[in-house]
């Protein structure tokens, strides 16, 4: 990951632990080749269940960003899970991540805006001011950028 977000991320993870959760980073920076491999594996998984190649790709792209478009390739996104599979941690992150400069990137109620299925584990660093504004408005990053570019 980008070293500029390390202190904020570490602080968030420590406070999450103090809240009783067991966070760990499942995924952070990925190369383009790693992203391609993840996409290929997901397509193969859907092909094995009976989807055609085109259908498998379409379904996979609901979960995996095409290489060159993944936020993980920027070093500013992390996937955070709980070691004990406590899904309550996702609620804690959703309510608190903005204080550390992170936003929940793909929420269930915004799939139509982002085009990505619900990923309660995926957080993107945008800085504290921007994260706070996005949290207060309930916008996605796409909505925030569209609104602020129009000013």
């Amino acid at each position: 990951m980008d070293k500029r977000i390390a202190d904020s991320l570490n602080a968030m993870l420590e406070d999450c632990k103090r809240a009783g959760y067991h966070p760990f980073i499942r995924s952070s920076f990925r190369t383009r080749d790693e992203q391609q491999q993840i996409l290929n594996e997901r397509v193969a998984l859907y092909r094995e269940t009976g989807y055609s190649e085109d259908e498998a790709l379409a379904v996979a792209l609901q979960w995996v960003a095409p290489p060159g478009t993944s936020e993980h390739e920027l070093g500013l996104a992390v996937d955070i899970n709980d070691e004990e599979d406590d899904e309550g941690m996702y609620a804690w992150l959703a309510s608190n991540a903005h204080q550390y400069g992170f936003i929940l990137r793909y929420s269930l109620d915004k799939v139509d805006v982002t085009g990505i299925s619900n990923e309660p584990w995926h957080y993107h660093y945008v800085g504290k001011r921007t994260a706070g504004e996005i949290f207060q408005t309930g916008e996605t990053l796409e909505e925030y950028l569209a609104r602020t570019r129009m000013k």
Side-chain angles (χ1 to χ4, degrees), residues 39-123:
L39 180 59
N40 292 348
E41 289 170 359
R42 185 63 66 104
V43 169
L45 178 70
Y46 289 123
R47 288 280 294 133
E48 289 173 11
T49 63
Y51 287 93
S52 71
E53 187 69 28
D54 289 342
E55 292 169 331
L57 179 60
V59 174
L61 288 173
Q62 293 175 12
W63 294 99
V64 180
T69 68
S70 172
E71 293 182 346
H72 288 283
E73 293 175 49
L74 298 172
L76 299 174
V78 292
D79 292 345
I80 305 169
N81 294 109
D82 188 281
E83 288 177 354
E84 297 183 2
D85 294 325
D86 186 342
E87 293 195 7
M89 184 192 72
Y90 297 137
W92 187 92
L93 287 170
S95 296
N96 293 284
H98 66 283
Q99 297 172 48
Y100 307 89
F102 290 87
I103 58 169
L104 171 61
R105 201 51 190 93
Y106 305 116
S107 64
L108 181 60
D109 63 334
K110 297 289 186 160
V111 172
D112 60 324
V113 176
T114 64
I116 302 294
S117 295
N118 180 38
E119 293 188 358
W121 53 80
H122 186 97
Y123 281 81

